[in-house]
Amino acid sequence: MPWFSVTKEVAMGTAMLGVAFATGVLAGKRYPSIFFGASKSSKTVIGKDSPLWQYILDHSLREHPLLKKLRLLTLDHPWGRIMVSCDQAQFMANLAKLIKAKKVIEIGVFTGYNTLNMALILPDNGRVVACDINEDYVNIGKPLWKEAEVEHKIDLRIKPASETLGKRKAKSMGKADAFDSVQKKKNTEEGHEELLAAGEAETYDFAFIDADKESSNEYYEKCLRLVRKGGIIAIDNVHVSSEVLSISATAKMHLICHVLIK
């Protein structure tokens, strides 16, 4: 997309992303332990009781009261440390608003903080397809989705995200497959047909990938097909060692391009 055809809002957003990306790279080089958790002391720098973290919350965060409520509930959970940070969620919400997003994909829901975050900024006819495999964690956030009156915008899929995003490979049909076929028909009638099979390619505005890292390549490739030109794909934990995240260098290069303008 040539720059002269880009709207002022998108151009400004792109510039902001460039600054954020450059800052992250420089900070990562200068203070790698903060980002990669190399030492025990680093955890206190950005921990729950950190003065720096409190400063960010006090001066940079514009958090909906129900988001704050869910964040505090999640932080009290034994696995609360894996939730998306509130400042990161706010950044993604701002990007989604910038491109006037209506359809969002979220891969990895946990308690639903960022799901609620996105649903709050979408128009009333907006939709968040939220993918996870553990409904117990999601049930922590569900009451707050309802309290925020955005439950109708959230399409929760408790199944492997690879199945939700795209069509599975064809295979011969046995008894188990026949059952799956009946279930798929039921899901289709309920509006739960797999996204690519339902003809939803290039209809989504924003995708956030934050689930099992081993499947990041597959999620990324399918999101490329589902997100429209000019949309955004955000991937959490990209800049870590190859031993932790199995994502190709090519995919990393594409990520930068597609976060700016697909």
mmCIF file with all atom_site columns, all heavy atoms in Angstrom, residues 251-262:
data_model
loop_
_atom_site.group_PDB
_atom_site.id
_atom_site.type_symbol
_atom_site.label_atom_id
_atom_site.label_alt_id
_atom_site.label_comp_id
_atom_site.label_asym_id
_atom_site.label_entity_id
_atom_site.label_seq_id
_atom_site.pdbx_PDB_ins_code
_atom_site.Cartn_x
_atom_site.Cartn_y
_atom_site.Cartn_z
_atom_site.occupancy
_atom_site.B_iso_or_equiv
_atom_site.pdbx_formal_charge
_atom_site.auth_seq_id
_atom_site.auth_comp_id
_atom_site.auth_asym_id
_atom_site.auth_atom_id
_atom_site.pdbx_PDB_model_num
ATOM 1  N N   . ALA A 1 251 ? 8.871  -15.503 9.343  1.00 0.00 ? 251 ALA A N   1
ATOM 2  C CA  . ALA A 1 251 ? 7.637  -15.098 10.013 1.00 0.00 ? 251 ALA A CA  1
ATOM 3  C C   . ALA A 1 251 ? 7.859  -13.838 10.831 1.00 0.00 ? 251 ALA A C   1
ATOM 4  O O   . ALA A 1 251 ? 7.010  -12.957 10.879 1.00 0.00 ? 251 ALA A O   1
ATOM 5  C CB  . ALA A 1 251 ? 7.126  -16.225 10.904 1.00 0.00 ? 251 ALA A CB  1
ATOM 6  N N   . LYS A 1 252 ? 9.032  -13.723 11.483 1.00 0.00 ? 252 LYS A N   1
ATOM 7  C CA  . LYS A 1 252 ? 9.321  -12.521 12.257 1.00 0.00 ? 252 LYS A CA  1
ATOM 8  C C   . LYS A 1 252 ? 9.366  -11.296 11.352 1.00 0.00 ? 252 LYS A C   1
ATOM 9  O O   . LYS A 1 252 ? 8.850  -10.238 11.677 1.00 0.00 ? 252 LYS A O   1
ATOM 10 C CB  . LYS A 1 252 ? 10.660 -12.681 12.980 1.00 0.00 ? 252 LYS A CB  1
ATOM 11 C CG  . LYS A 1 252 ? 10.652 -13.696 14.114 1.00 0.00 ? 252 LYS A CG  1
ATOM 12 C CD  . LYS A 1 252 ? 12.011 -13.748 14.777 1.00 0.00 ? 252 LYS A CD  1
ATOM 13 C CE  . LYS A 1 252 ? 12.050 -14.800 15.863 1.00 0.00 ? 252 LYS A CE  1
ATOM 14 N NZ  . LYS A 1 252 ? 13.375 -14.899 16.496 1.00 0.00 ? 252 LYS A NZ  1
ATOM 15 N N   . MET A 1 253 ? 9.985  -11.444 10.189 1.00 0.00 ? 253 MET A N   1
ATOM 16 C CA  . MET A 1 253 ? 10.069 -10.333 9.252  1.00 0.00 ? 253 MET A CA  1
ATOM 17 C C   . MET A 1 253 ? 8.678  -9.942  8.773  1.00 0.00 ? 253 MET A C   1
ATOM 18 O O   . MET A 1 253 ? 8.339  -8.766  8.706  1.00 0.00 ? 253 MET A O   1
ATOM 19 C CB  . MET A 1 253 ? 10.945 -10.719 8.059  1.00 0.00 ? 253 MET A CB  1
ATOM 20 C CG  . MET A 1 253 ? 12.420 -10.899 8.400  1.00 0.00 ? 253 MET A CG  1
ATOM 21 S SD  . MET A 1 253 ? 13.344 -11.651 7.060  1.00 0.00 ? 253 MET A SD  1
ATOM 22 C CE  . MET A 1 253 ? 13.128 -10.411 5.787  1.00 0.00 ? 253 MET A CE  1
ATOM 23 N N   . HIS A 1 254 ? 7.852  -10.925 8.479  1.00 0.00 ? 254 HIS A N   1
ATOM 24 C CA  . HIS A 1 254 ? 6.499  -10.638 8.035  1.00 0.00 ? 254 HIS A CA  1
ATOM 25 C C   . HIS A 1 254 ? 5.695  -9.978  9.138  1.00 0.00 ? 254 HIS A C   1
ATOM 26 O O   . HIS A 1 254 ? 4.866  -9.129  8.870  1.00 0.00 ? 254 HIS A O   1
ATOM 27 C CB  . HIS A 1 254 ? 5.804  -11.935 7.604  1.00 0.00 ? 254 HIS A CB  1
ATOM 28 C CG  . HIS A 1 254 ? 6.236  -12.410 6.250  1.00 0.00 ? 254 HIS A CG  1
ATOM 29 N ND1 . HIS A 1 254 ? 5.439  -13.176 5.453  1.00 0.00 ? 254 HIS A ND1 1
ATOM 30 C CD2 . HIS A 1 254 ? 7.375  -12.221 5.560  1.00 0.00 ? 254 HIS A CD2 1
ATOM 31 C CE1 . HIS A 1 254 ? 6.073  -13.451 4.315  1.00 0.00 ? 254 HIS A CE1 1
ATOM 32 N NE2 . HIS A 1 254 ? 7.260  -12.878 4.367  1.00 0.00 ? 254 HIS A NE2 1
ATOM 33 N N   . LEU A 1 255 ? 5.950  -10.392 10.385 1.00 0.00 ? 255 LEU A N   1
ATOM 34 C CA  . LEU A 1 255 ? 5.229  -9.818  11.506 1.00 0.00 ? 255 LEU A CA  1
ATOM 35 C C   . LEU A 1 255 ? 5.383  -8.307  11.541 1.00 0.00 ? 255 LEU A C   1
ATOM 36 O O   . LEU A 1 255 ? 4.417  -7.570  11.671 1.00 0.00 ? 255 LEU A O   1
ATOM 37 C CB  . LEU A 1 255 ? 5.743  -10.409 12.819 1.00 0.00 ? 255 LEU A CB  1
ATOM 38 C CG  . LEU A 1 255 ? 5.236  -9.709  14.094 1.00 0.00 ? 255 LEU A CG  1
ATOM 39 C CD1 . LEU A 1 255 ? 3.751  -9.914  14.244 1.00 0.00 ? 255 LEU A CD1 1
ATOM 40 C CD2 . LEU A 1 255 ? 5.968  -10.198 15.317 1.00 0.00 ? 255 LEU A CD2 1
ATOM 41 N N   . ILE A 1 256 ? 6.591  -7.830  11.370 1.00 0.00 ? 256 ILE A N   1
ATOM 42 C CA  . ILE A 1 256 ? 6.840  -6.396  11.389 1.00 0.00 ? 256 ILE A CA  1
ATOM 43 C C   . ILE A 1 256 ? 6.027  -5.697  10.304 1.00 0.00 ? 256 ILE A C   1
ATOM 44 O O   . ILE A 1 256 ? 5.369  -4.694  10.534 1.00 0.00 ? 256 ILE A O   1
ATOM 45 C CB  . ILE A 1 256 ? 8.338  -6.094  11.226 1.00 0.00 ? 256 ILE A CB  1
ATOM 46 C CG1 . ILE A 1 256 ? 9.115  -6.689  12.403 1.00 0.00 ? 256 ILE A CG1 1
ATOM 47 C CG2 . ILE A 1 256 ? 8.581  -4.596  11.141 1.00 0.00 ? 256 ILE A CG2 1
ATOM 48 C CD1 . ILE A 1 256 ? 10.612 -6.637  12.224 1.00 0.00 ? 256 ILE A CD1 1
ATOM 49 N N   . CYS A 1 257 ? 6.036  -6.253  9.111  1.00 0.00 ? 257 CYS A N   1
ATOM 50 C CA  . CYS A 1 257 ? 5.287  -5.668  7.998  1.00 0.00 ? 257 CYS A CA  1
ATOM 51 C C   . CYS A 1 257 ? 3.802  -5.663  8.268  1.00 0.00 ? 257 CYS A C   1
ATOM 52 O O   . CYS A 1 257 ? 3.124  -4.661  8.041  1.00 0.00 ? 257 CYS A O   1
ATOM 53 C CB  . CYS A 1 257 ? 5.563  -6.446  6.700  1.00 0.00 ? 257 CYS A CB  1
ATOM 54 S SG  . CYS A 1 257 ? 7.272  -6.393  6.154  1.00 0.00 ? 257 CYS A SG  1
ATOM 55 N N   . HIS A 1 258 ? 3.291  -6.763  8.779  1.00 0.00 ? 258 HIS A N   1
ATOM 56 C CA  . HIS A 1 258 ? 1.854  -6.870  8.954  1.00 0.00 ? 258 HIS A CA  1
ATOM 57 C C   . HIS A 1 258 ? 1.346  -6.127  10.167 1.00 0.00 ? 258 HIS A C   1
ATOM 58 O O   . HIS A 1 258 ? 0.196  -5.734  10.195 1.00 0.00 ? 258 HIS A O   1
ATOM 59 C CB  . HIS A 1 258 ? 1.446  -8.349  9.002  1.00 0.00 ? 258 HIS A CB  1
ATOM 60 C CG  . HIS A 1 258 ? 1.549  -9.017  7.676  1.00 0.00 ? 258 HIS A CG  1
ATOM 61 N ND1 . HIS A 1 258 ? 0.616  -8.848  6.681  1.00 0.00 ? 258 HIS A ND1 1
ATOM 62 C CD2 . HIS A 1 258 ? 2.495  -9.817  7.148  1.00 0.00 ? 258 HIS A CD2 1
ATOM 63 C CE1 . HIS A 1 258 ? 0.975  -9.538  5.605  1.00 0.00 ? 258 HIS A CE1 1
ATOM 64 N NE2 . HIS A 1 258 ? 2.128  -10.121 5.866  1.00 0.00 ? 258 HIS A NE2 1
ATOM 65 N N   . VAL A 1 259 ? 2.181  -5.922  11.174 1.00 0.00 ? 259 VAL A N   1
ATOM 66 C CA  . VAL A 1 259 ? 1.768  -5.085  12.284 1.00 0.00 ? 259 VAL A CA  1
ATOM 67 C C   . VAL A 1 259 ? 1.629  -3.647  11.799 1.00 0.00 ? 259 VAL A C   1
ATOM 68 O O   . VAL A 1 259 ? 0.715  -2.939  12.195 1.00 0.00 ? 259 VAL A O   1
ATOM 69 C CB  . VAL A 1 259 ? 2.777  -5.167  13.451 1.00 0.00 ? 259 VAL A CB  1
ATOM 70 C CG1 . VAL A 1 259 ? 2.565  -4.027  14.415 1.00 0.00 ? 259 VAL A CG1 1
ATOM 71 C CG2 . VAL A 1 259 ? 2.602  -6.491  14.194 1.00 0.00 ? 259 VAL A CG2 1
ATOM 72 N N   . LEU A 1 260 ? 2.494  -3.206  10.945 1.00 0.00 ? 260 LEU A N   1
ATOM 73 C CA  . LEU A 1 260 ? 2.382  -1.842  10.426 1.00 0.00 ? 260 LEU A CA  1
ATOM 74 C C   . LEU A 1 260 ? 1.185  -1.714  9.492  1.00 0.00 ? 260 LEU A C   1
ATOM 75 O O   . LEU A 1 260 ? 0.220  -1.043  9.794  1.00 0.00 ? 260 LEU A O   1
ATOM 76 C CB  . LEU A 1 260 ? 3.667  -1.456  9.695  1.00 0.00 ? 260 LEU A CB  1
ATOM 77 C CG  . LEU A 1 260 ? 4.925  -1.427  10.571 1.00 0.00 ? 260 LEU A CG  1
ATOM 78 C CD1 . LEU A 1 260 ? 6.137  -1.036  9.730  1.00 0.00 ? 260 LEU A CD1 1
ATOM 79 C CD2 . LEU A 1 260 ? 4.760  -0.470  11.728 1.00 0.00 ? 260 LEU A CD2 1
ATOM 80 N N   . ILE A 1 261 ? 1.237  -2.357  8.359  1.00 0.00 ? 261 ILE A N   1
ATOM 81 C CA  . ILE A 1 261 ? 0.133  -2.360  7.398  1.00 0.00 ? 261 ILE A CA  1
ATOM 82 C C   . ILE A 1 261 ? 0.195  -3.666  6.646  1.00 0.00 ? 261 ILE A C   1
ATOM 83 O O   . ILE A 1 261 ? 1.212  -3.953  6.010  1.00 0.00 ? 261 ILE A O   1
ATOM 84 C CB  . ILE A 1 261 ? 0.225  -1.201  6.393  1.00 0.00 ? 261 ILE A CB  1
ATOM 85 C CG1 . ILE A 1 261 ? 0.149  0.151   7.103  1.00 0.00 ? 261 ILE A CG1 1
ATOM 86 C CG2 . ILE A 1 261 ? -0.911 -1.288  5.374  1.00 0.00 ? 261 ILE A CG2 1
ATOM 87 C CD1 . ILE A 1 261 ? 0.358  1.325   6.182  1.00 0.00 ? 261 ILE A CD1 1
ATOM 88 N N   . LYS A 1 262 ? -0.845 -4.434  6.705  1.00 0.00 ? 262 LYS A N   1
ATOM 89 C CA  . LYS A 1 262 ? -0.833 -5.696  5.963  1.00 0.00 ? 262 LYS A CA  1
ATOM 90 C C   . LYS A 1 262 ? -1.114 -5.433  4.493  1.00 0.00 ? 262 LYS A C   1
ATOM 91 O O   . LYS A 1 262 ? -2.071 -4.757  4.174  1.00 0.00 ? 262 LYS A O   1
ATOM 92 C CB  . LYS A 1 262 ? -1.886 -6.671  6.521  1.00 0.00 ? 262 LYS A CB  1
ATOM 93 C CG  . LYS A 1 262 ? -1.830 -8.008  5.816  1.00 0.00 ? 262 LYS A CG  1
ATOM 94 C CD  . LYS A 1 262 ? -2.970 -8.878  6.217  1.00 0.00 ? 262 LYS A CD  1
ATOM 95 C CE  . LYS A 1 262 ? -2.986 -10.108 5.326  1.00 0.00 ? 262 LYS A CE  1
ATOM 96 N NZ  . LYS A 1 262 ? -4.202 -10.884 5.404  1.00 0.00 ? 262 LYS A NZ  1
#
